[in-house]
Amino acid sequence: YRKVKLRGYFEHDKEFLLSQRTNFQFSDALVSPLNRSGIIIDTIRAENGRRVLVYRGWVSEYRKNSESRESGQVQGTVELDAYVTFN
C-alpha cells in the first residue's frame, strides 16, 4: 500500500454494488429487507488517465439505485488522500 493524493472525477455510471455485505453496526439485528446491505464501489478517472476503484461505503438495500442517492453523486474534480495498491 502506498499513500497518495488522487485527483480526478467520479465515473458514477461505472459504479457497482457488492451485495449481501453486512453493515457490522447492525450485526446484532435480525436480517430483514431493511438490514440487507451492499457496498458501493465507484471509479475515479484520475488525471493521469488511470481508473481507480474507490470504496464509497455501505448502502442499504432500498438505496442501491443511484437515483435514490443523488446527493451523494459528487460531480466535478475531487482530490482524495488514498491508499493504493499496484500490481
Side-chain angles (χ1 to χ4, degrees):
Y1 294 96
R2 185 186 314 175
K3 189 173 181 177
V4 298
K5 283 211 179 284
L6 176 64
R7 184 198 276 276
Y9 60 91
F10 283 105
E11 296 179 311
H12 296 295
D13 59 325
K14 294 179 178 44
E15 77 176 19
F16 57 94
L17 178 76
L18 296 177
S19 61
Q20 301 303 320
R21 301 293 190 254
T22 301
N23 181 352
F24 293 107
Q25 189 173 348
F26 299 116
S27 63
D28 58 341
L30 295 173
V31 175
S32 70
L34 295 178
N35 195 10
R36 281 191 297 219
S37 58
I39 295 173
I40 293 294
I41 304 294
D42 214 336
T43 60
I44 285 186
R45 175 67 73 158
E47 284 184 332
N48 65 6
R50 292 185 179 193
R51 273 200 182 104
V52 180
L53 296 178
V54 177
Y55 165 73
R56 293 288 309 273
W58 179 87
V59 66
S60 66
E61 186 78 13
Y62 66 93
R63 291 280 194 184
K64 67 182 181 180
N65 234 346
S66 61
E67 290 83 26
S68 68
R69 32 185 182 82
E70 287 183 20
S71 63
Q73 304 291 57
V74 179
Q75 301 299 319
T77 302
V78 296
E79 190 170 303
L80 304 171
D81 291 323
Y83 289 95
V84 296
T85 59
F86 297 92
N87 55 7

